[in-house]
Structures are given as structure tokens and as C-alpha cells.
């Protein structure tokens, strides 16, 4: 028997059909099915996107005029810049914490105003920065929850702003945003001399603010024809 055997036309056609079927099967398994799957996924994604677009609501155009809003924004930015400039100017007038220049200037002002300083001492104030205020208890609880997510030590050193219901002496205590050195002074003199001293505080090189003022008569009555001597207690923020 000779090899390869001679095949008739029918056998050759069958072999050709088998080869075409095998090649088509291999092509369908390697190329057509994955491509068809990708096409099906894209079709499903397009249909889902189309459904979302049909359900989406287009927001209505705002009633405000855009040019008016831009003008208001520019005006607010100018106001913020002005406030920032004023804050920087006020900060430059604040005396350094360890400076004795302001205390010396206050003593000189007392001599010029003809009042006698009986007590001139630094007022020790309990730190209020970490004490929760009753008026801001809700905010404090919210802040505690937020601070738990922050790294340790990051939120503990932040200065706080105490509520307006507390006195300015407490609001300027250590740990607060407005912390300043506090000086307590007791003066003795006439009404006009004490008044001159208080008004003279505004003329000092550094900012001095009166946080508390108490005036009372001295126990000894003044002689006839002389002004009554007064005692005054002032708490000053330097």
C-alpha cells in the first residue's frame, strides 16, 4: 500500500471540513469568546449608565446673579485682608511676655499722675485652657470625638477660645487664644489723679487693657477743703 493513499474528492472535502472546524473552534476559544465577554460587559455598563442618567436630576440654575456673587466674594476678601492687617498691627503693639519695659512705664505713669502704687504684682491665674465650659459642653464633646482620631499631642496643645460668658481674666488665662500676662495694681490718690492714670495707659508704647476696676474710699476722711483720697484696684492685661 502506498503512502499517502490517494483520496477521492469526497474524502478530501471531509478532511477540509474537519480542518476548518478545528481552526474555527480554536479561534472561538482563544479570541472570540473573550472579546464577546468584553463586549457584553461594556454593553451592561452602558445600560447601567443610561439608567442612572435617566434617574439623575439636573440642578436648577441659581437665582443669584453670578456677577453679584463674584462682587460679594471680592468684597469679603477685601474685608478679610483689612481685618488681618488690623490684627497684625495690634499684635505689634503687644509687649513681650518677659519684658519689664511696660511695668516700668506704668510705674512712671503713676508718678506723673500723682498716684501712689501700693501693690504692683503679677496676678497668678489658673489655666483655663483645658477646663470645659458649661456653655460649650456640646462643642467640647464633639471636639473630643474628633481629637481621638488625631495623633497624640497634636490636639492637646491647641489654644482654645473660652465662651463670652466667662470673664476676660479667665479668657486670657494660660492655654487660651488670648493669653496675656496679667498685672494687679492697687493705687491710692484723688479721683482726678486716678482718672489721669487710667487714661494715660492708652498712651504707653505697648497695649495695656483694663480688665477689672474697683474704686472705694479710704477709711480716713479727708480734711475740709481737700479731695477725698480713693483706693483703686486695677487688673491689667499687658
Amino acid at each position: 500500500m502506498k503512502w499517502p493513499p490517494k483520496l477521492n474528492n469526497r474524502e478530501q472535502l471531509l478532511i477540509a471540513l474537519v480542518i476548518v472546524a478545528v481552526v474555527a473552534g480554536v479561534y472561538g476559544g482563544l479570541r472570540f469568546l473573550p472579546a464577546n465577554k468584553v463586549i457584553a460587559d461594556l454593553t451592561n455598563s452602558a445600560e447601567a449608565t443610561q439608567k442612572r442618567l435617566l434617574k439623575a436630576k439636573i440642578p436648577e440654575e441659581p437665582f443669584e446673579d453670578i456677577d453679584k456673587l463674584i462682587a460679594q466674594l471680592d468684597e469679603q476678601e477685601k474685608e478679610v485682608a483689612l481685618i488681618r492687617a488690623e490684627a497684625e498691627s495690634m499684635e505689634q503693639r503687644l509687649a513681650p511676655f518677659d519684658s519689664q519695659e511696660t511695668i516700668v512705664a506704668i510705674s512712671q505713669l503713676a508718678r506723673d499722675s500723682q498716684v501712689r502704687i501700693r501693690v504692683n504684682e503679677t496676678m497668678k491665674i489658673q489655666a483655663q485652657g483645658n477646663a470645659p465650659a458649661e456653655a460649650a459642653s456640646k462643642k467640647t464633646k464633639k471636639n473630643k470625638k474628633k481629637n481621638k482620631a488625631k495623633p497624640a499631642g497634636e490636639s492637646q496643645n491647641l489654644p482654645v477660645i473660652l465662651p463670652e460668658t466667662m470673664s476676660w481674666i479667665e479668657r486670657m488665662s494660660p492655654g487660651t487664644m488670648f493669653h496675656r500676662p496679667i498685672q494687679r495694681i492697687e493705687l491710692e490718690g484723688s479721683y482726678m489723679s486716678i482718672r489721669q492714670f487710667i487714661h494715660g495707659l492708652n498712651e504707653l508704647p505697648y497695649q495695656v487693657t483694663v480688665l477689672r476696676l474697683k474704686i472705694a474710699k479710704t477709711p480716713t476722711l479727708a480734711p475740709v477743703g481737700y479731695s477725698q483720697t480713693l483706693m483703686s484696684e486695677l487688673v491689667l492685661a499687658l
Side-chain angles (χ1 to χ4, degrees):
M1 182 178 180
K2 296 181 180 181
W3 186 264
K6 292 183 179 180
L7 302 175
N8 54 29
N9 294 335
R10 183 181 179 183
E11 291 175 344
Q12 291 178 0
L13 179 61
L14 291 174
I15 292 173
L17 292 175
V18 170
I19 294 173
V20 170
V22 171
V23 173
V26 173
Y27 176 80
L30 296 178
R31 298 291 301 274
F32 178 76
L33 292 179
N36 190 34
K37 184 179 179 182
V38 173
I39 294 172
D41 293 339
L42 292 175
T43 303
N44 294 333
S45 177
E47 292 178 354
T49 303
Q50 187 176 4
K51 290 180 180 179
R52 288 196 298 269
L53 291 175
L54 292 176
K55 294 180 180 179
K57 294 182 179 180
I58 300 176
E60 297 180 358
E61 185 178 357
F63 295 103
E64 294 84 356
D65 186 6
I66 296 179
D67 295 335
K68 183 178 180 181
L69 293 176
I70 294 176
Q72 291 178 356
L73 179 60
D74 294 339
E75 184 177 355
Q76 291 178 358
E77 290 179 350
K78 292 180 181 178
E79 292 178 356
V80 171
L82 180 61
I83 293 174
R84 185 180 292 112
E86 292 178 353
E88 293 176 355
S89 176
M90 293 179 62
E91 187 176 359
Q92 292 177 357
R93 286 203 61 198
L94 297 177
F97 275 80
D98 299 332
S99 176
Q100 296 294 319
E101 182 180 354
T102 305
I103 297 177
V104 173
I106 291 174
S107 300
Q108 182 61 43
L109 176 62
R111 288 191 291 269
D112 296 340
S113 304
Q114 297 181 355
V115 295
R116 185 171 70 91
I117 296 180
R118 300 179 56 182
V119 177
N120 189 358
E121 61 184 4
T122 301
M123 189 173 181
K124 301 295 183 181
I125 305 173
Q126 183 179 1
Q128 300 287 336
N130 297 325
E134 296 179 359
S137 59
K138 295 182 180 180
K139 294 183 180 180
T140 305
K141 293 179 181 178
K142 292 181 181 179
N143 292 335
K144 286 182 178 180
K145 292 181 180 179
K146 293 181 180 179
N147 292 336
K148 289 181 180 178
K150 296 182 179 179
E154 181 178 347
S155 60
Q156 296 178 356
N157 297 328
L158 294 178
V160 299
I161 299 178
L162 298 181
E164 296 181 0
T165 54
M166 305 185 74
S167 66
W168 271 109
I169 297 178
E170 294 170 325
R171 298 182 70 187
M172 290 187 171
S173 62
T176 61
M177 180 68 70
F178 308 112
H179 177 216
R180 294 301 304 167
I182 307 297
Q183 197 76 9
R184 177 180 174 274
I185 298 177
E186 289 186 4
L187 303 176
E188 183 176 338
S190 64
Y191 169 78
M192 293 303 299
S193 60
I194 294 176
R195 182 178 181 274
Q196 181 180 351
F197 173 82
I198 294 174
H199 283 278
L201 295 174
N202 295 327
E203 306 299 330
L204 296 180
Y206 291 110
Q207 178 71 32
V208 178
T209 305
V210 179
L211 302 182
R212 188 173 68 193
L213 172 62
K214 294 181 179 180
I215 298 179
K217 295 190 304 182
T218 56
T220 306
L221 295 177
V224 178
Y226 289 88
S227 58
Q228 176 65 43
T229 304
L230 303 177
M231 293 179 57
S232 176
E233 180 195 35
L234 288 89
V235 177
L236 307 176
L238 307 182

